[in-house]
Amino acid sequence: MTGAAGAARAAASRAAGARRAWQDVRPLDPVHSLKTKLALLVGATVTVAALFVWQALHQGIGPRYTLPVSIVLALVLTQLLARGMTSPLREMTAAARAMATGDYSRRVRATSRDEVGELAHAFNRMAEDLGAVDRERRELVANVSHELRTPVSALHAVLENLVDGVTEPDRETLGTALAQTERLARLVEQLLDLSRLDAGAVALDREDVALGPFLQQATRAMSMTGREVTFAVDVVPPGLTVSADSARLHQVVANLLDNASRHSPAGGTVTVSARALGSVVRVSVQDEGPGIPDADRERVFERFQRGSSRTGGSTGLGLAIARWAVQLHGGTIRVAPTPPEGGCRIDVHLPADPADGV
């Protein structure tokens, strides 16, 4: 009995598959125009009905039988051709209903070359984009929750120990609490920048920035973090300037210095250089760390990406925000090829003339 039931199910499945295949026949897919398809549909049904009537009358069959049979034939042919023409629309309806429940994996079979086929291709691209946005949203929530939980838990533990009298409020303990609050403040600031990025372009307050003093000030501020690295500044020519928003440019340099100092070994050197290269000014940050693998050179500028070697305390937002700020200036940022001496170098190219930017 079990074998008979299995055979019955298999037969039913084959029948359902054959029925679906018959219902999804699309003989007019090669036609490039929906209007032409409709014309062919009308022409085919009229021709088939006329030929049947002519043949039936030729054989002496009266109109009493000829007329209803020809109508049935025309309706069957119309159903066959029209169903194939409208099949992508039904699939899009089903896929849209699935999207409303959060399922972005459904795709439409886009085999026709007419306007409906173009709509199906556009629908598939939209579904793919919506799926990517949904994944990014979920990753954003998960990553932000993780990044917030770490400093909040550490700060809670420090304060709880102080309140319970387990530890004394000495300089080291208070310094630990301060470091965690600074990390929280940095994350909140980066999330605010991220919201500005999503909101669109931000107006720039451009001014002529002397890169020598500007980079010296940025490295002095970074040296106060207590990391065991040395910062060096090299600007050629010494009086090199660039038209930029100093606050946004400081944001870029600070993020690059923070990233480089995290990945440099103790006692290493982080070098910040600036050069005039024709119509652009290049600002480079070079570290002595392990470098960035070729596969990660584009991904490191995406949100919450930290490369193959993660470093504690990094939120994975710094380089994404740096790219956004550079693009606001009409510039580009990229990971340069690995230098012979090793390490990682990130180049920022800014237009020397503001008219070349945005």
Side-chain angles (χ1 to χ4, degrees):
M1 292 180 64
T2 303
R9 285 195 298 269
S13 176
R14 286 193 298 270
R19 185 166 57 255
R20 285 194 298 268
W22 169 255
Q23 291 175 349
D24 202 30
V25 173
R26 304 182 184 183
L28 298 180
D29 272 0
V31 181
H32 292 260
S33 171
L34 183 60
K35 292 186 292 185
T36 304
K37 284 185 176 182
L38 293 174
L40 290 174
L41 173 64
V42 174
T45 55
V46 170
T47 300
V48 168
L51 287 176
F52 175 78
V53 170
W54 177 79
Q55 183 67 25
L57 293 176
H58 183 71
Q59 294 181 359
I61 302 175
R64 179 179 178 181
Y65 302 101
T66 304
L67 183 60
V69 173
S70 64
I71 292 175
V72 170
L73 286 176
L75 291 176
V76 170
L77 182 59
T78 301
Q79 174 69 10
L80 174 63
L81 298 179
R83 187 173 184 84
M85 291 168 56
T86 59
S87 181
L89 299 177
R90 290 191 300 276
E91 292 181 9
M92 278 184 267
T93 301
R97 289 173 179 167
M99 287 181 189
T101 63
D103 180 11
Y104 299 98
S105 62
R106 300 282 291 271
R107 294 295 181 268
V108 179
R109 178 187 165 194
T111 56
S112 61
R113 303 179 182 179
D114 60 353
E115 295 83 352
V116 176
E118 294 176 2
L119 178 62
H121 283 293
F123 185 92
N124 287 338
R125 288 193 297 270
M126 181 193 70
E128 185 176 352
D129 292 341
L130 289 175
V133 170
D134 185 65
R135 287 192 301 272
E136 289 181 1
R137 179 184 62 80
R138 295 175 187 272
E139 291 173 2
L140 175 64
V141 172
N143 283 312
V144 169
S145 300
H146 172 75
E147 296 296 342
L148 286 174
R149 183 173 61 248
T150 302
V152 168
S153 300
L155 186 59
H156 179 269
V158 171
L159 295 177
E160 187 177 36
N161 289 336
L162 289 174
V163 171
D164 294 342
V166 178
T167 58
E168 294 296 327
D170 54 17
R171 186 180 185 88
E172 181 180 356
T173 303
L174 294 177
T176 301
L178 179 61
Q180 296 303 328
T181 57
E182 289 175 346
R183 183 177 177 185
L184 276 173
R186 183 169 61 251
L187 177 59
V188 170
E189 182 180 356
Q190 289 179 336
L191 290 174
L192 289 174
D193 288 329
L194 197 63
S195 67
R196 297 188 189 105
L197 188 158
D198 291 332
V202 176
L204 296 178
D205 184 14
R206 289 183 181 271
E207 59 181 328
D208 289 335
V209 179
L211 289 177
F214 178 83
L215 296 178
Q216 289 285 359
Q217 180 183 10
T219 54
R220 278 196 302 270
M222 188 57 59
S223 64
M224 296 176 64
T225 58
R227 294 174 189 156
E228 298 178 2
V229 295
T230 302
F231 296 95
V233 176
D234 180 23
V235 179
V236 178
L240 180 62
T241 63
V242 65
S243 177
D245 185 317
S246 59
R248 293 298 173 195
L249 186 58
H250 181 272
Q251 192 176 31
V252 173
V253 175
N255 279 324
L256 295 182
L257 289 175
D258 179 71
N259 189 68
S261 62
R262 288 181 185 279
H263 290 85
S264 289
T269 300
V270 175
T271 303
V272 189
S273 61
R275 297 287 187 274
L277 304 175
S279 62
V280 299
V281 173
R282 187 187 71 194
V283 178
S284 302
V285 177
Q286 166 85 46
D287 63 43
E288 296 178 350
I292 298 178
D294 293 344
D296 290 339
R297 288 185 178 177
E298 290 298 327
R299 294 177 59 250
V300 294
F301 295 105
E302 299 175 1
R303 303 174 187 181
F304 293 104
Q305 293 293 334
R306 300 182 238 185
S308 299
S309 57
R310 297 191 172 192
T311 303
S314 171
T315 62
L317 285 172
L319 291 180
I321 293 173
R323 180 174 64 175
W324 164 66
V326 170
Q327 290 175 345
L328 283 178
H329 288 81
T332 59
I333 183 172
R334 67 183 182 90
V335 179
T338 303
E341 63 274 18
C344 170
R345 192 185 87 203
I346 296 183
D347 293 338
V348 174
H349 292 87
L350 299 174
D353 184 357
D356 297 334
V358 293

